[in-house]
């Protein structure tokens, strides 16, 4: 029986502690907050998108940030395993659109309580309101930890302190400094699954709060005419730019794109929105012709009500360069074609990412080259393991990041 300290009481840390205890170890969780799972409570807008129902082979495809590194961890602990764990704790789950799995109660607190009751059942020791200052190492092996209060000796340590997103939940990047102090490299910390700032700020401001559903988006590097990301679904306009599921997933690709900061400064990264993805340009032209017949004596600005949300109409008109006072029956074929182009490629220019504090997940972290992917053990310090968001891995929305937490937590916990 080994003495194991888990630093961090989020989903990765809790899973690591539970697994290590089930394997017969003497486990202590050290958490700087007054309770576990503060960030877990706000996931999925307070409902907790537990995982995805996709095959585990699809999880790597949905992890643009070093997905291949997680191959073993995803095999060790799957989406079926976490669902079974919750069911054994008395919590049923349900599937919603986009393969998303939620608790039937729609309450993240119920998911957290499953972890907490298992921790209590296994009599895992808990140290709350305790911040680890340093991991103590001698001759390349862990010796223990130093907190503000004491030095605790141990055989094994699992570092699961999370990233830098949502710092109010305790994710303030402490783990990166702790790991750096014992020789680990930390790749650049960037926001991922984060809203995007747009150069055409005034246009977005005019449409603030407008949610578009069933639209196609493309993010394009104009300097190479290269498609970076493509998606279909929902997005929303904000006072600074754009957000929503498709945009957040797009940001996860964008953050790892080469020279992205320079390209955004040079205004070379474009977002194209297909407002009518179900129609070809020809079909859309026919649809507009029908509307124009119906509104033939109206001004152009009053002829788009059936086609577009009210808030979008002035912006679309501006982009078409058609005089808004012009009567519909005076609009030329060329002008109408221009309207079709704007509707199929409504273009905005991406300026920046919102700060990491607003991100759902952190891109960057402990360099994966320094971690054994089969065990999650450090290649630099014997007896030190990593789990969760502290590792340089990140995925799309849809339950994938939480699955990374369970899978890496389980792997580390089963190997200590």
């Amino acid at each position: 029986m080994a003495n194991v300290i888990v630093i961090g009481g989020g989903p990765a840390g809790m899973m690591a502690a539970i697994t290590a205890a089930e394997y017969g170890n003497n486990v202590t969780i050290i958490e700087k907050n007054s309770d576990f799972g503060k960030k877990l409570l706000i996931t999925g807008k307070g409902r907790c998108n537990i995982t995805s129902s996709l095959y585990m082979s699809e999880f790597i495809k949905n992890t643009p940030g070093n997905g291949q590194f997680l191959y073993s961890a995803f095999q060790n602990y799957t989406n079926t395993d976490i669902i079974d764990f919750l069911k054994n704790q008395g919590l049923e789950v349900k599937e919603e659109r986009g393969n998303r799995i939620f608790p039937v109660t729609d309450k993240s607190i119920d998911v957290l309580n499953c972890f907490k009751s298992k921790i209590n059942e296994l009599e895992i020791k808990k140290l709350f309101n305790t911040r680890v200052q340093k991991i103590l190492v001698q001759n390349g092996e862990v010796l223990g930890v130093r907190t503000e209060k004491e030095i605790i000796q141990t055989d094994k340590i699992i570092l699961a302190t999370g990233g830098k997103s949502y710092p109010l939940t305790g994710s303030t990047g402490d783990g990166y400094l702790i790991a750096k102090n014992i020789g680990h490299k930390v790749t650049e910390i960037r926001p991922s699954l984060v809203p995007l700032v747009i150069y055409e700020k005034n246009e977005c401001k005019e449409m603030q709060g407008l949610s578009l559903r069933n639209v196609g988006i493309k993010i394009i590097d104009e300097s190479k005419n290269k498609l970076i990301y493509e998606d279909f679904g929902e997005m929303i306009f904000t006072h600074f730019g754009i957000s929503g599921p498709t945009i957040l997933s797009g940001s996860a690709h964008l953050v790892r794109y080469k020279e992205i900061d320079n390209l955004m400064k040079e205004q070379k990264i474009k977002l194209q929105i297909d407002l009518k993805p179900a129609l070809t340009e020809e079909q859309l032209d026919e649809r507009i012709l029908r509307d124009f017949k119906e509104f033939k004596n109206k001004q152009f600005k009053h002829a788009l009500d059936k086609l577009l949300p009210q808030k979008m109409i002035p912006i679309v008109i501006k982009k078409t360069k058609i005089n808004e006072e012009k009567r519909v029956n005076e609009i030329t074929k060329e002008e109408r074609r221009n309207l079709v182009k704007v509707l199929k490629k409504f273009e905005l220019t991406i300026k920046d990412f919102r700060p990491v504090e607003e991100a759902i997940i952190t891109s960057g972290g402990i360099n994966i080259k320094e971690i054994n992917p089969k065990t999650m053990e450090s290649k630099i310090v014997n007896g030190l393991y990593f789990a969760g968001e502290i590792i340089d891995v990140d995925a799309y929305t849809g339950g994938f990041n939480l699955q990374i937490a369970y899978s890496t937590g389980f792997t580390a916990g089963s190997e200590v």
Side-chain angles (χ1 to χ4, degrees):
M1 182 196 281
N3 290 317
V4 179
I5 285 177
V6 177
I7 307 171
M14 289 188 290
M15 180 57 78
I18 288 165
T19 309
E22 286 185 324
Y23 273 70
N25 297 296
N26 180 32
V27 182
T28 302
I29 307 182
I30 303 178
E31 168 55 54
K32 70 176 180 183
N33 288 317
S34 58
D35 203 352
F36 296 131
K38 213 169 171 187
K39 191 173 172 186
L40 183 69
L41 289 176
I42 62 169
T43 61
K45 295 176 183 166
R47 294 172 59 223
C48 189
N49 181 186
I50 299 158
T51 187
S52 166
S53 65
L54 289 171
Y55 290 115
M56 289 310 293
S57 56
E58 295 292 309
F59 276 62
I60 288 173
K61 292 178 193 167
N62 282 279
T63 309
N66 296 323
Q68 288 297 331
F69 171 80
L70 296 164
Y71 181 81
S72 293
F74 279 156
Q75 299 303 311
N76 293 341
Y77 198 85
T78 68
N79 48 5
T80 311
D81 291 324
I82 185 62
I83 289 165
D84 287 345
F85 167 78
L86 295 171
K87 282 182 177 174
N88 289 336
Q89 294 300 119
L91 183 63
E92 294 295 326
V93 302
K94 60 180 177 178
E95 185 172 343
E96 294 188 7
R97 65 183 176 81
N99 305 100
R100 287 165 157 82
I101 303 292
F102 288 92
V104 286
T105 58
D106 283 329
K107 288 176 185 169
S108 54
I109 186 78
D110 295 329
V111 176
L112 177 56
N113 284 338
C114 290
F115 281 100
K116 284 166 73 172
S117 69
K118 191 68 180 173
I119 285 166
N120 290 335
E121 183 193 314
L122 292 165
E123 297 179 353
I124 292 166
K125 191 177 174 191
K126 305 177 280 280
L127 293 180
F128 292 120
N129 301 309
T130 304
R131 188 187 290 266
V132 171
Q133 293 174 331
K134 194 175 183 182
I135 288 175
L136 306 173
V137 176
Q138 191 175 52
N139 302 326
E141 295 212 13
V142 298
L143 269 186
V145 299
R146 189 174 74 215
T147 72
E148 314 112 306
K149 302 164 188 174
E150 59 182 331
I151 286 173
I152 309 168
Q153 288 188 325
T154 192
D155 306 310
K156 312 273 183 175
I157 293 171
I158 300 171
L159 192 55
T161 48
K164 269 193 106 167
S165 57
Y166 295 135
L168 291 176
T169 64
S171 297
T172 49
D174 301 8
Y176 303 137
L177 292 173
I178 292 169
K180 268 183 179 175
N181 285 339
I182 50 174
H184 269 281
K185 286 191 184 74
V186 176
T187 60
E188 189 186 3
I189 303 304
R190 302 287 304 260
S192 186
L193 299 184
V194 70
L196 298 172
V197 181
I198 296 296
Y199 277 99
E200 298 87 348
K201 197 175 171 183
N202 289 340
E203 289 185 9
C204 292
K205 225 172 186 172
E206 279 183 55
M207 296 184 285
Q208 186 177 342
L210 174 64
S211 181
L212 299 178
R213 286 183 180 175
N214 304 320
V215 293
I217 68 148
K218 284 180 182 175
I219 298 176
I220 290 160
D221 173 359
E222 213 174 45
S223 68
K224 297 180 187 147
N225 197 23
K226 184 181 173 185
L227 179 69
I228 301 171
Y229 183 72
E230 188 172 11
D231 205 351
F232 174 85
E234 197 175 330
M235 61 167 288
I236 190 168
F237 294 100
T238 69
H239 65 286
F240 55 77
I242 48 175
S243 188
T246 57
I247 302 304
L248 297 178
S249 289
S251 76
H253 263 267
L254 216 47
V255 76
R256 290 177 181 271
Y257 192 69
K258 207 175 175 189
E259 296 291 310
I260 188 59
D261 292 329
N262 288 336
L263 288 165
M264 288 194 297
K265 271 181 201 148
E266 292 162 11
Q267 303 192 26
K268 296 293 185 190
I269 304 294
K270 303 288 182 183
L271 173 78
Q272 288 178 355
I273 307 166
D274 185 348
L275 295 165
K276 300 291 173 187
L279 303 175
T280 63
E281 287 197 7
E282 291 75 21
Q283 288 168 330
L284 182 54
D285 191 36
E286 285 169 23
R287 159 79 201 271
I288 291 166
L289 267 174
R290 287 199 300 275
D291 283 2
F292 279 10
K293 250 180 208 169
E294 191 181 334
F295 302 126
K296 59 185 175 188
N297 295 317
K298 285 192 173 184
Q299 292 171 311
F300 181 45
K301 63 182 175 185
H302 298 308
L304 299 174
D305 291 358
K306 278 189 170 181
L307 204 59
L308 290 166
Q310 203 62 42
K311 274 188 177 179
M312 270 202 114
I313 292 171
I315 313 295
V316 166
I317 288 173
K318 214 181 292 173
K319 285 183 180 287
T320 64
K321 297 186 172 69
I322 301 169
N323 182 348
E324 62 172 16
E325 307 292 334
K326 200 169 187 178
R327 300 271 166 207
V328 166
N329 56 12
E330 293 169 359
I331 288 174
T332 65
K333 190 178 183 181
E334 198 177 318
E335 285 174 326
R336 202 178 67 244
R337 281 203 175 135
N338 201 24
L339 171 61
V340 168
K341 274 182 189 149
V342 170
L343 295 175
K344 292 294 282 179
K345 281 186 185 175
F346 184 95
E347 196 167 85
L348 295 166
T349 312
I350 298 171
K351 184 179 185 179
D352 207 351
F353 303 97
R354 289 294 282 178
V356 70
E357 290 76 17
E358 293 178 32
I360 291 174
I361 201 89
T362 309
S363 170
I366 308 298
N367 194 323
I368 57 164
K369 290 176 183 169
E370 300 174 350
I371 303 171
N372 180 336
K374 290 186 174 169
T375 62
M376 296 296 138
E377 188 174 12
S378 164
K379 292 179 181 177
I380 291 169
V381 179
N382 290 335
L384 173 64
Y385 298 76
F386 297 98
E389 198 181 341
I390 193 170
I391 304 167
D392 182 14
V393 288
D394 57 280
Y396 296 144
T397 56
F400 302 108
N401 288 294
L402 273 178
Q403 185 65 48
I404 290 171
Y406 319 133
S407 296
T408 55
F410 177 88
T411 301
S414 61
E415 291 290 340
V416 290

